[in-house]
Amino acid sequence: MDQKVDMSVSELDRRVPPVVKQVSAQAISAAQIAPIVARALATEVRRAGVVETASGVAKSVYTKYEPAAKELYASYEPKAEQCAVSAWKKLNQLPLFPRLAQVAVPTAAFCSEKYNDTVVMAAEKGYRVSSYMPLVPTERISKIFRDEKTETKPLEFHPLD
């Protein structure tokens, strides 16, 4: 029985991709560390209070993960833009989508501008949370889709007679 289990585990180990092994090892490590972190956090809350502890934890998490998040964002952003443009081109080939887009796009642009204005005003008034809220890059989005708009032509719809 022990030999069969060993053979099964070896076969599974051989077939599982290295990325899956790495992620599962990281998950196990995080699960082992979680109780230690929770105890330390509870002790800090008792010592310093809820607001100060939450603020300190938020700052340390932001400081620790911001560089990695920026690097990840920079590497995936061009691909995300390409996918969005490709999806937009495909949707524009549908019979009624261009008409729907003529109504929805200006509304989305208006809402995005209002959101951006609100975030900027909150930052000017000194609200800390606004520094964590990203602005919608409306100029960049409109430029990307304006450049692509000239290349896209809708498919003609010919119903069966």
Side-chain angles (χ1 to χ4, degrees):
M1 183 70 165
D2 189 38
Q3 209 173 30
K4 286 196 180 241
V5 169
D6 189 40
M7 286 174 44
S8 297
V9 169
S10 297
E11 183 65 23
L12 184 64
D13 189 45
R14 188 175 68 78
R15 292 181 184 256
V16 173
V19 173
V20 174
K21 293 178 195 175
Q22 181 183 8
V23 169
S24 63
Q26 289 172 346
I28 290 170
S29 176
Q32 291 170 340
I33 293 172
I36 297 166
V37 172
R39 279 192 290 276
L41 189 61
T43 302
E44 183 65 21
V45 166
R46 275 189 232 113
R47 188 187 68 72
V50 176
V51 173
E52 292 82 9
T53 301
S55 178
V57 168
K59 286 177 184 173
S60 70
V61 166
Y62 183 79
T63 303
K64 182 177 180 180
Y65 292 107
E66 182 190 24
K70 282 186 176 182
E71 181 181 324
L72 199 62
Y73 179 77
S75 64
Y76 285 104
E77 184 184 26
K79 184 61 179 171
E81 284 179 6
Q82 289 173 352
C83 291
V85 169
S86 176
W88 187 259
K89 284 180 179 179
K90 295 290 183 191
L91 287 170
N92 266 327
Q93 292 176 348
L94 296 174
L96 297 177
F97 185 80
R99 289 186 192 151
L100 176 66
Q102 286 177 346
V103 174
V105 169
T107 304
F110 175 78
C111 292
S112 297
E113 286 296 328
K114 288 295 180 191
Y115 166 82
N116 285 348
D117 292 344
T118 303
V119 171
V120 168
M121 284 179 25
E124 289 171 353
K125 290 182 179 180
Y127 294 111
R128 288 184 193 168
V129 73
S130 64
S131 65
Y132 299 103
M133 299 174 73
L135 295 176
V136 178
T138 53
E139 296 83 21
R140 186 173 178 183
I141 292 169
S142 64
K143 180 189 178 304
I144 289 169
F145 287 108
R146 193 178 321 112
D147 293 347
E148 294 297 328
K149 191 176 183 180
T150 57
E151 300 174 17
T152 307
K153 294 177 185 161
L155 293 175
E156 293 183 27
F157 181 65
H158 299 286
L160 297 174
D161 294 324

